[in-house]
Amino acid sequence: MNSLSSKQQLLHLLQIQPLELHREFSAIAKTPEAEIMVLAEPEADMAAVADVIETAAPVPVEPYSEPDPELPLSKDVLAAMNEYQPGLQWRLNPGSTEPMLQNGLLVTPSIELLQSVPQKKLLWLCLQQES
């Protein structure tokens, strides 16, 4: 009994509230084991999933390209990157619709699209984000 009260005291001291179970989880927790075993027979379902995965068409991956460092906008972006996000790499993705940061990589739409005022604002916000 003493250990229970010390655990409760520790939870209170650390300001930790016990989690409440969602209704769906509570319903599963109250399900008899026999029903769970019926639900847990994955052999037929797994074979169907494997067939779907094998026949699925591969998702095309659009290659990133490096921006032309001689273009005026590229020079401005590279200068801003060096100032606000040193070490950040920059790639163009023709399929992208707006600038975004992805694991130390700035991915932007084409230079032509990036020249619009809304895109420049989004680019500026990306460069100001914490990496």
Side-chain angles (χ1 to χ4, degrees):
M1 190 73 174
N2 192 14
S3 66
L4 181 61
S5 64
S6 66
K7 288 180 185 177
Q8 289 175 337
Q9 288 174 354
L10 181 59
L11 290 174
H12 180 70
L13 179 67
L14 297 174
Q15 298 178 348
I16 298 174
Q17 298 293 323
L19 296 176
E20 292 184 22
L21 298 177
H22 295 284
R23 276 187 263 138
E24 295 83 15
F25 185 78
S26 296
I28 291 172
K30 295 175 185 173
T31 303
E33 286 185 38
E35 286 184 41
I36 292 174
M37 293 308 293
V38 170
L39 295 174
E41 293 179 11
E43 290 84 18
D45 292 337
M46 291 305 288
V49 170
D51 288 342
V52 170
I53 291 172
E54 288 174 5
T55 58
V59 176
V61 177
E62 296 193 33
Y64 292 163
S65 60
E66 292 191 28
D68 182 357
E70 299 304 314
L71 294 174
L73 180 59
S74 295
K75 289 179 182 179
D76 291 342
V77 171
L78 290 169
M81 284 173 50
N82 286 333
E83 184 173 338
Y84 293 99
Q85 296 274 354
L88 188 67
Q89 298 292 315
W90 177 28
R91 296 294 179 268
L92 300 174
N93 180 359
S96 179
T97 58
E98 62 184 39
M100 66 182 103
L101 292 176
Q102 296 177 337
N103 301 324
L105 183 67
L106 174 65
V107 179
T108 65
S110 66
I111 293 291
E112 293 78 21
L113 187 59
L114 201 56
Q115 291 179 7
S116 71
V117 172
Q119 290 292 325
K120 286 181 182 177
K121 287 179 180 180
L122 290 171
L123 175 63
W124 179 248
L125 289 173
C126 275
L127 291 176
Q128 290 179 328
Q129 289 179 6
E130 296 287 326
S131 57

